[in-house]
Structure formats: C-alpha cells, structure tokens
Amino acid sequence: MTSAFLQCIEKGCEGRYPLDAKEHQCAACGGLLDVQYDFWRFRELLPFVPAGAEVVSLSEGRTPLVEVNRTGDWAGVRLSIKHQGNNPTGSFKDLGMTACITQATILGSRVTACASTGNTSASMAAYAARAGMKAVVFVPFGKISTAKLAQALEFGAVVIEMGDDFDQAFRMLRELTDELGLYLVNSLNPFRLEGQKTIVFEILEQRDWRVPDYLVLPGGNLGNVSAVGKGLLELRQLGLIDKLPRLVVVQAEGASPFYTMIATGADEIIPVQPRTEASATTNRFSKRKPPWPKMAWAASLHPQLRWRAFTNWFAPAKWRMVRTSSPCSPVTSSRTPRSASSGAASGS
C-alpha cells in the first residue's frame, strides 16, 4: 500500500494535509502544496504504522538476487546471492532502520542512539538525518570501522568513545537511554527485526514465491536470522507459501556460542572470547545477549533449522565469489543441492 498526502513545498514548513483538503495553499505559511507519496514495500505486512503517518525511507530494498553458477559449481549447489550491499548505506541494516526510525518518529523521539562498531552506526545516522533527528553513536575505544565511522560523521552523528569493547559500550548506552531520553535502535528493538524480515519477502517475490530448499544466513548476534525466521512463518500463516525452507545458520568456529548451545542442548548461551579475523565479530557478536532468546523462540517454531560452524571455509568461499565477480560482502546467500529442485537464499 502507498499512502498519498499534500505537503507544503516551503523548506522549514513542509506542513502535511489530507488529500481532501479544499485549500491549495499551506494554512501555516501560504506556500504551495504538492502531492507526495510514502513508498514502503510490503506495508500491509508492517501494519504498525498508522494510516497517514510519515514513513522514513531512503528507497531501501529492491536489492538484486544474483545467480552465481561458478561459485555454486565449486560448492556443489545451485546458488543465488541476495546482495544487500546495494542498500543506501551498504548493508541490510537499512531494512531494519527504516522501520525503526519510522517508529521513533511516531513516538515523537528526537534523539536516536546505538552502540556499534560498523554498519548500524552508518545506517542509523543516515535515517535519523532523513527524519530530522539527532543521532548518537557509542563505540568502544578504537574499535570501529573507519569507513562506517566516516559515514556516520558525514550524516551528522555525534560519536562517543566509551568502554573497551562493544559489550561495555552497549551496557553504558542502556544505562543512559532512559535518563537522556534516547531512542535505542540496536537489534533488541523489535521494530528493527520487523523491517529486516522483508529481506525474505523480497527473495520469495523475486523467485515468484517458489520456496528454495535452503536459506543460508550468517549467524552473528542472530537478529537477522530471527527476522527471517519470523518472516517465513508469517508468510506461511498468510498462505503466500505452503512450506518452509531449511534454514542453515553459519557461525564461525571461533565465535559460535549459539551453535554450541544448540549442539549441547544447553538453555543459556555461555559467552566466549571470539577468535576470528572479522573485527565486528571480535568486538561484539559472540558475547552480546540480545536477541538470541528471540532466535531460540524462532528455532522452536522452525523444526527445519540447521546449525553449522565451519572451519577454514569463509576465506576460500569469499575468494571464489570475488573471482567470479559475485557480490560477497555484505550479502545473504542461499543454496540448493544440485540433486534437489532449484532454490535460492538470503544472508548477511
């Protein structure tokens, strides 16, 4: 659904009026009115936004689903990659941030905040700027991607170094959230995951609603996996699909606390000190608690869920993808064995 409205063209006013308004000029400043639209795909599946409320969007989504035959041949599967790097700030976080910042505007929030070492900070800063809100990023000392830091600063975010690692920065942020009136946009915010579930909506739409045999996703802090699992269950409840794919969630062996919890039948994650080459994983994913309980809930509803932690797999796989001009970071990938029906997947 697309909503339409009249809006004053004068900067500094930009007053909004319903389409049935009889006047053709702004009642506040006398400026001319123009017909404007809120474009937000799958809006019927995101019904938390009241009718007429403004959607904060940067035209995210609509990212390509790319067939990567040579990489698939190497892996022994029929493979497609959902290239989330084509989003406005270069990551899948934009799908969640459009929903999250929209909810912040509905609540009347004026300042958004996150703890981040990379993509979340850039995405939040961009969408906060779009909404006319201030953005505050809490980062551990010296542990943030310089490229993403540059993006956040370019969009006007205030960056505060705090703590020795992500967990400390996040804990301090949560302690200050209520006191300073901040709207927290890390992935424990349920509206982040509401937006990110549309990744799987897009994949299935691009496949003419044919469900792949497998969907393969990286399992960092598991927010994206939770969102995809939730989205699939909702699509089945609505009758848009009649079966569920097998979800394959991959965690690096050196940072795989959730895999260990599932494999051992434990009830709680045991924090570990990560041992990987990925800076973001080293800083946060394996030790941060939310939103793994939501992933555990999704797993209980999703009997097809599979978990693997691979050793020495990521580097050669990424090398193969680069050598065949395939998008590899950040991406979502899915695969289908050659012996099975054709399939696709989503990831990163």
Side-chain angles (χ1 to χ4, degrees):
M1 178 180 69
T2 300
S3 63
F5 54 93
L6 296 172
Q7 186 169 41
C8 175
I9 65 172
E10 297 296 327
K11 292 189 179 299
C13 178
E14 299 180 340
R16 292 172 61 134
Y17 301 90
L19 290 175
D20 58 1
K22 295 182 179 179
E23 298 298 326
H24 301 306
Q25 290 180 277
C26 177
C29 72
L32 295 176
L33 301 181
D34 187 37
V35 179
Q36 293 289 315
Y37 304 92
D38 279 332
F39 295 102
W40 212 14
R41 302 186 68 212
F42 309 115
R43 185 160 180 165
E44 291 86 352
L45 299 177
L46 298 165
F48 67 87
V49 182
E54 182 177 359
V55 168
V56 182
S57 175
L58 292 171
S59 297
E60 59 288 324
R62 304 172 182 83
T63 55
L65 186 65
V66 183
E67 290 191 16
V68 285
N69 294 330
R70 281 186 286 172
T71 305
D73 288 340
W74 170 77
V77 298
R78 189 168 182 176
L79 180 66
S80 297
I81 302 293
K82 181 66 169 164
H83 186 16
Q84 292 298 85
N86 275 22
N87 279 302
T89 71
S91 87
F92 70 88
K93 300 293 180 71
D94 294 345
L95 277 299
M97 209 58 70
T98 179
C100 198
I101 298 299
T102 293
Q103 177 65 9
T105 63
I106 292 171
L107 297 176
S109 300
R110 302 178 64 183
V111 183
T112 65
C114 71
S116 176
T117 57
N119 291 325
T120 300
S121 61
S123 185
M124 179 193 69
Y127 282 82
R130 181 70 165 178
M133 304 169 68
K134 295 186 181 298
V136 181
V137 181
F138 287 69
V139 302
F141 289 106
K143 295 179 180 178
I144 184 172
S145 161
T146 54
K148 293 300 179 180
L149 176 61
Q151 271 189 292
L153 291 172
E154 184 72 16
F155 290 123
V158 175
V159 178
I160 301 173
E161 285 191 309
M162 183 178 292
D164 295 325
D165 57 22
F166 175 86
D167 293 337
Q168 289 185 14
F170 184 65
R171 183 170 60 252
M172 293 175 186
L173 169 59
R174 294 203 65 183
E175 292 172 356
L176 294 172
T177 297
D178 292 337
E179 181 180 343
L180 300 180
L182 306 175
Y183 184 80
L184 185 63
V185 302
N186 282 94
S187 55
L188 61 84
N189 186 314
F191 295 96
R192 272 277 305 278
L193 304 189
E194 281 301 286
Q196 286 170 213
K197 73 184 182 184
T198 62
I199 295 172
V200 76
F201 297 168
E202 282 195 11
I203 290 172
L204 290 169
E205 182 187 45
Q206 289 166 316
R207 290 176 46 81
D208 296 325
W209 302 100
R210 292 177 293 108
V211 178
D213 295 318
Y214 293 85
L215 280 174
V216 182
L217 301 100
N221 74 344
L222 303 166
N224 212 31
V225 179
S226 303
V228 167
K230 182 176 188 288
L232 286 167
L233 291 169
E234 290 179 354
L235 291 177
R236 188 176 64 173
Q237 290 169 358
L238 291 169
L240 293 173
I241 59 175
D242 57 6
K243 65 177 183 177
L244 297 174
R246 291 185 177 182
L247 288 185
V248 179
V249 182
V250 181
Q251 287 195 310
E253 189 175 47
S256 56
F258 202 76
Y259 168 77
T260 301
M261 187 187 84
I262 295 293
T264 61
D267 295 325
E268 294 278 337
I269 275 184
I270 299 176
V272 300
Q273 183 60 45
R275 295 176 290 102
T276 77
E277 295 297 321
S279 60
T281 302
T282 300
N283 287 334
R284 59 173 172 171
F285 285 151
S286 67
K287 299 198 313 188
R288 178 174 161 199
K289 186 175 181 180
W292 75 260
K294 200 169 272 190
M295 184 61 253
W297 167 79
S300 70
L301 301 176
H302 223 298
Q304 300 279 25
L305 204 61
R306 297 291 182 271
W307 303 86
R308 291 295 303 274
F310 293 99
T311 303
N312 299 325
W313 184 84
F314 296 106
K318 184 171 182 177
W319 179 85
R320 289 277 178 176
M321 293 172 69
V322 171
R323 295 286 290 182
T324 57
S325 298
S326 304
C328 61
S329 180
V331 299
T332 299
S333 55
S334 74
R335 62 180 187 177
T336 300
R338 287 288 183 187
S339 59
S341 60
S342 63
S346 140
S348 192

